[in-house]
Amino acid sequence: MVATITAGILQQIATTPIYWTRQRQIEEYNVALIEPTATNMDGSPALMVRGIQSAGTVIGVGDDGHVPSVIILPHQGATDWAHLDYLKAPARHESEHSALWSNDQNLFYYYTGERDIHPIFP
């Protein structure tokens, strides 16, 4: 599970602009796994974020910069971690938001709401 999350974040680091100076190392990311609040059609766990079913979210963005962002993903304990393939992509995608916030807040805000598409940096 840790290796899967790490692989997703490292994939994101490899595709973001090289001139970004923040969140270039895996150690700069915070990840928390929480109880799922929804289930996808394939049985994989999901979260409800502001009334929308999601694979994950990021908290701490939009704050004054003193609170580190945290990637929030649903744990898969109830499914014996049977959906690890589903865990890697959300780790990558939510880490994109975290890196955007740390490096380019104009782009961060651009990729919220209806423009929240992934991968942002293919």
Side-chain angles (χ1 to χ4, degrees):
M1 172 249 328
V2 172
T4 300
I5 293 170
T6 299
I9 295 172
L10 289 174
Q11 187 177 23
Q12 174 272 129
I13 291 170
T15 60
T16 53
I18 195 71
Y19 56 86
W20 282 5
T21 59
R22 296 184 185 104
Q23 293 201 313
R24 299 297 307 169
Q25 305 296 319
I26 191 70
E27 296 81 11
E28 296 177 84
Y29 290 85
N30 300 298
V31 178
L33 299 174
I34 66 169
E35 188 71 25
T37 52
T39 304
N40 294 315
M41 291 175 57
D42 67 355
S44 60
L47 300 175
M48 293 302 292
V49 181
R50 296 184 181 169
I52 298 171
Q53 193 161 319
S54 177
T57 192
V58 179
I59 60 172
V61 294
D63 291 328
D64 63 4
H66 300 311
V67 177
S69 62
V70 180
I71 298 164
I72 306 295
L73 302 171
H75 74 68
Q76 298 185 11
T79 63
D80 288 330
W81 301 93
H83 300 278
L84 286 180
D85 55 329
Y86 183 71
L87 190 60
K88 181 180 177 185
R92 175 187 181 181
H93 300 159
E94 298 310 319
S95 69
E96 284 183 318
H97 290 298
S98 185
L100 280 164
W101 176 254
S102 294
N103 289 283
D104 189 329
Q105 292 179 7
N106 287 331
L107 269 181
F108 169 83
Y109 285 114
Y110 180 82
Y111 286 107
T112 58
E114 62 190 34
R115 291 189 213 103
D116 185 357
I117 52 99
H118 296 285
I120 294 169
F121 301 103

